[in-house]
Amino acid sequence: MIELRPLQQFLAVAELLHFGRAAERLHMSQPPLTQAVRKLEVQLGVQLFERSSRSVRLTPAGAALQASAQKLLAEAAALPSEVRAVADGLAGRLRLAFVSTVGFGGLPQWLRSFREACPQVALSLREATLDVQLREFEAGSIDAGFVIHTPGAAPAGFQRLSIGIEPLVLALPSSDETPSDAQCLTAPLVIFPREVAPSLYDAILAHHGSAGVAQEAIQMQTIINLVSAAIGVAWVPASLQGLQRAGVSYRDMPGAPQVETSLIWRADAPPVVARFVEHVRTHA
């Protein structure tokens, strides 16, 4: 192993090409500096300088070591601030999962502003439903995730930041006739599988009635497309009304279930998660 101090001493001589002036810069006498350089040459098995009574010149091996040593010492000098940045959540990697509905809310702006505030954080994004996120938390492959659930029914065992609560609206196929609210509640459902968001699935079925499930689909965009094909109606977060699709209209319904969006993470998450949580809390 080569220690940093002999490299610092070598660089002083390499830059000044004079052992006496290099010793003065290093605040040491010349003989110990000469000995240190010779010891480094022995350790590396190469000659670093060509010496004469009038001059000192770098050998090709010395020139190669100079470039590498400069880079190594610069990295070593930056190491304390880099480590502090990771400890403060200002650097590192954030592996973030999210359900598709968050993409129609504040997620794009939060990601944009967070990247601007913390450019040293590498973001790894994954679209995933609640059931997939729980498995990935268990496997240690994500650090935080945006999920949806009925108000107050967030997954147990996690730290949580509530992003907001909104009503569900009914997406229904456009038609020349306007069905009544009662007729809408008897139309067959297009809905996500229960494991995707169990509390929300149960709330929707309890509210909608006994018309039955016509089709299941995981992604909200797919659900809306199936509604446009007149497969059935679907309950979606109100913020999803920004997803316009020909053949689909949205209706506010009295007594509609509500949906809560939360950011969840483990108590032992890396510091960058706390930094991201605070950023979302501030900008939500």
Side-chain angles (χ1 to χ4, degrees), residues 97 128-142 147 154-158 195-196 198 264 266:
T129 53
L130 173 61
D131 54 324
V132 175
Q133 289 191 38
L134 294 179
R135 290 197 296 270
E136 296 203 355
F137 272 115
E138 190 65 27
S141 54
I142 61 173
V147 298
F158 290 88
E195 62 268 19
V196 167
I264 61 173
R266 297 284 195 190

Side-chain angles (χ1 to χ4, degrees), residues 115-190:
R115 288 171 67 91
E116 292 171 355
C118 302
Q120 296 183 71
V121 175
L123 282 171
S124 175
L125 304 174
R126 166 95 188 265
E127 184 178 345
T129 53
L130 173 61
D131 54 324
V132 175
Q133 289 191 38
L134 294 179
R135 290 197 296 270
E136 296 203 355
F137 272 115
E138 190 65 27
S141 54
I142 61 173
D143 302 311
F146 288 97
V147 298
I148 57 173
H149 51 86
T150 54
F158 290 88
Q159 306 289 318
R160 181 173 77 94
L161 172 66
S162 177
I163 303 304
I165 297 174
E166 61 181 323
L168 297 179
V169 298
L170 195 63
L172 60 157
S174 300
S175 65
D176 294 335
E177 298 181 1
T178 302
S180 66
D181 288 353
Q183 289 174 320
C184 290
L185 292 176
T186 60
L189 273 175
V190 179

Side-chain angles (χ1 to χ4, degrees), residues 89-98 107-127 141-146 263 270 272-277 279-280:
L90 295 171
R93 180 178 59 155
L94 174 61
R95 301 169 300 172
L96 181 66
F98 60 95
L107 182 62
Q109 178 56 42
W110 298 331
L111 293 177
R112 185 182 303 112
S113 57
F114 184 72
R115 288 171 67 91
E116 292 171 355
C118 302
Q120 296 183 71
V121 175
L123 282 171
S124 175
L125 304 174
R126 166 95 188 265
E127 184 178 345
S141 54
I142 61 173
D143 302 311
F146 288 97
L263 176 61
V272 68
V273 172
R275 180 71 59 173
F276 181 72
V277 170
H279 184 85
V280 173

Side-chain angles (χ1 to χ4, degrees), residues 5 21 24 28 36-37 169 203 225 231 246 250:
R5 180 162 177 76
R21 289 196 292 271
E24 291 178 3
M28 62 187 299
V37 171
V169 298
N225 287 336
I231 301 299
Y250 297 95

Side-chain angles (χ1 to χ4, degrees), residues 23-104:
E24 291 178 3
R25 173 188 287 185
L26 296 169
H27 304 290
M28 62 187 299
S29 60
Q30 183 175 335
L33 175 60
T34 302
Q35 293 174 6
V37 171
R38 286 176 177 166
K39 183 178 179 180
L40 182 60
E41 289 177 321
V42 170
Q43 185 177 4
L44 295 174
V46 296
Q47 184 178 349
L48 299 174
F49 296 100
E50 293 179 356
R51 307 169 179 84
S52 70
S53 58
R54 295 184 177 180
S55 66
V56 176
R57 293 188 302 170
L58 281 166
T59 64
L65 178 61
Q66 182 182 25
S68 297
Q70 288 171 336
K71 180 180 178 181
L72 181 61
L73 290 175
E75 291 174 348
L79 191 58
S81 62
E82 291 175 357
V83 171
R84 286 193 297 269
V86 171
D88 292 339
L90 295 171
R93 180 178 59 155
L94 174 61
R95 301 169 300 172
L96 181 66
F98 60 95
V99 293
S100 60
T101 55
V102 186
F104 295 92

